[in-house]
Amino acid sequence: MNHKALSACVLAAFAAGAAAGATAAPEVEVLHYWTSGGEARSVAELKKSLTAKGVTWKDFAVAGGSGENASTALKARVISGSAPSAAQVKGPAIQEWGKEGVLANIDAVAVAEKWDSLLPPTVAAIMKYKGNYVAAPVNVHRVNWLWVNPAVLKKAGATAPATMDEFFAAADKIKAAGMIAVAHGGMPWQDTTIFESVALGVGGPEFYKKALVQLDQAALTGPVMLKTFDALGRIKTYIDRDAAGRDWNLATAMVINGKAGMQFMGDWAKGEFAAAGKKPGVDYLCLPAPGTAKAYTFNIDSMLMFKKAKAEDQKSQLLLASAIMSPEFQEVFNLNKGSIPVRSGVSKAKFDSCALQSMADLESSSKSGALVPSLSASMAVGTAAQGAIMDVIARFMNSKMSSQDAVAALAKAAKTK
Ligand code: BGC
């Protein structure tokens, strides 16, 4: 059954229930953290497609980049026995929630719509708990990007960097010309965003996998990690004094308006450029983070479904899942969000040069073994180890901690279970 047929059949069931006076209006309560300009435009498309199916959208937005606040709110709701229909949860956290026994099985729609044949096997595996689909994937974000304002480069007499050395040369020139070289928000997840791109650029994908996915102690304590912290320490010197606590999208705005030259950030930043009417290749450049052109750190947003007691709530969950996977939604959402569709069968026609590059690099890196999960975006390791690792990186960014001490603290934090 395709998603249209499924919607028709679920809605017919609602109509029958309503006629018998048994069913309330279908509703989905969705917990998400898509609150910036580009994000809000994207989530509005999801709301629109649900409304078109006759489902009422109950918005449960919790602001805060990368979803730390949203995750706290979710835990509180689940503990109090009032889980939302769906929540923006991704990566290994899906398995952690599965173990709690609170997730809904959405195989009724996933099997009917043949999700196994539409999704890459690695993605399908992330969306399942013990073989059953419990989450619907929304997109693929690439994290190892550098967002650049070419007018700032020009003013500073700098050129677009492809390597770490070129990056430092450009940063020196931008700083010397009186502008901020690196736009950044001092928050642990943003610190880790820079850290992971630097680790990938300095050490390559094999090192990244060993150190930041397998948490291998030899890789964590070796010379490449020391070099990574040395480079990160140098990057600190190009960040302005007011970075502490700054939201990621405000840092992106500094690149958009020419106050700063470059930002390390996933391609949700592109959603901000797009919302501001800026054109890639003209008003801004999307460059792979220095030294990482052949690699790809992936981040897949997904909506995790929670067990609901009422039949009508379960049905609206299936409609939400079906809407998320529809080619129409995957196209319009990702055009606004800066990401690319996660499923096959979506037209590439309307996507811009950054998205096309992301699509090509996703394919080539998956063939070459250079496709790696993003640590900062919660795709690489369990939540406990991730939190401990991000704390160390944040401490390094906010103190005079030496690279040696950071390496030792990181290796210890990686043992957190
Ligand atoms: C999410 C994106 C979101 C970004 C900023 C990432 O972890 O995957 O969807 O736009 O955080 O909040």
Side-chain angles (χ1 to χ4, degrees):
M1 197 178 341
N2 65 26
H3 71 277
K4 282 199 183 103
L6 181 91
S7 310
C9 138
V10 173
L11 283 177
F14 280 132
T23 318
E27 179 183 274
V28 278
E29 187 184 15
V30 183
L31 168 54
H32 64 90
Y33 48 93
W34 287 323
T35 56
S36 76
E39 292 173 333
R41 281 180 6 143
S42 312
V43 78
E45 295 296 338
L46 188 54
K47 180 179 172 184
K48 223 197 271 169
S49 80
L50 263 299
T51 310
K53 290 177 197 290
V55 179
T56 304
W57 174 273
K58 198 170 167 202
D59 201 46
F60 184 3
V62 180
S66 102
E68 218 178 304
N69 302 342
S71 156
T72 309
L74 177 62
K75 281 178 196 146
R77 283 286 295 270
V78 178
I79 288 167
S80 70
S82 59
S85 313
Q88 197 189 335
V89 175
K90 53 189 153 103
I94 294 176
Q95 303 307 310
E96 295 175 12
W97 277 114
K99 288 187 192 128
E100 300 296 324
V102 291
L103 300 183
N105 179 337
I106 55 167
D107 275 349
V109 65
V111 172
E113 294 180 357
K114 301 193 171 61
W115 287 12
D116 275 349
S117 68
L118 300 172
L119 296 171
T122 22
V123 176
I126 299 171
M127 302 303 139
K128 292 178 184 176
Y129 179 68
K130 294 206 167 145
N132 303 119
Y133 277 96
V134 291
V138 176
N139 59 5
V140 183
H141 269 304
R142 183 186 200 176
V143 180
N144 59 316
W145 286 116
L146 186 71
W147 303 91
V148 177
N149 184 321
V152 170
L153 288 186
K154 201 166 168 221
K155 245 199 233 164
T159 49
T163 64
M164 217 62 212
D165 287 345
E166 289 172 11
F167 167 81
F168 286 124
D172 281 336
K173 288 194 173 157
I174 297 169
K175 197 174 170 181
M179 291 169 288
I180 297 166
V182 177
H184 182 60
M187 291 184 182
W189 75 271
Q190 294 186 60
D191 297 339
T192 302
T193 302
I194 304 186
F195 167 82
E196 72 177 41
S197 279
V198 173
L200 187 65
V202 168
E206 284 314 312
F207 165 73
Y208 182 103
K209 276 189 243 178
K210 277 213 179 82
L212 303 182
V213 185
Q214 294 152 18
L215 304 179
D216 172 75
Q217 284 290 319
L220 283 163
T221 52
V224 182
M225 191 53 87
L226 196 66
K227 234 177 125 188
T228 298
F229 275 108
D230 284 346
L232 188 64
R234 188 161 170 206
I235 291 175
K236 276 202 295 195
T237 65
Y238 301 103
I239 296 170
D240 67 308
R241 285 170 191 280
D242 301 327
R246 178 187 285 141
D247 286 324
W248 67 272
N249 53 313
L250 299 182
T252 306
M254 291 163 65
V255 180
I256 294 177
N257 64 31
K259 210 173 157 201
M262 311 184 276
Q263 182 189 18
F264 288 87
M265 188 47 62
D267 44 21
W268 43 95
K270 201 187 80 182
E272 300 306 296
F273 285 100
K278 303 294 180 190
K279 299 272 166 287
V282 181
D283 305 308
Y284 69 96
L285 310 175
C286 52
L287 306 177
T292 74
K294 291 200 163 66
Y296 193 112
T297 37
F298 70 89
N299 167 23
I300 297 166
D301 282 313
S302 44
M303 279 297 166
L304 184 61
M305 309 291 175
F306 286 82
K307 257 185 207 160
K308 300 298 275 183
K310 291 191 197 141
E312 66 258 30
D313 288 339
Q314 296 166 5
K315 284 173 190 157
S316 2
Q317 257 172 346
L318 295 183
L319 286 172
L320 172 64
S322 177
I324 287 173
M325 274 288 281
S326 74
E328 299 80 11
F329 169 76
Q330 291 267 330
E331 181 186 52
V332 69
F333 179 89
N334 288 305
L335 283 171
N336 285 300
K337 189 70 171 63
S339 38
I340 58 175
V342 65
R343 56 156 288 175
S344 57
V346 181
S347 163
K348 292 182 180 178
K350 292 188 187 149
F351 285 90
D352 65 19
S353 54
C354 302
L356 295 177
Q357 188 181 343
S358 175
M359 291 175 193
D361 292 350
L362 177 62
E363 204 181 321
S364 62
S365 65
S366 109
K367 285 186 187 137
S368 68
L371 178 62
V372 296
S374 165
L375 172 70
S376 62
S378 311
M379 298 301 295
V381 300
T383 51
Q386 187 196 352
I389 290 172
M390 293 207 310
D391 278 351
V392 172
I393 297 163
R395 261 196 286 144
F396 178 79
M397 291 295 280
N398 292 301
S399 70
K400 294 208 164 77
M401 192 180 205
S402 69
S403 298
Q404 283 80 358
D405 288 350
V407 165
L410 190 77
K412 192 167 168 228
K415 292 181 181 161
T416 310
K417 291 232 162 44

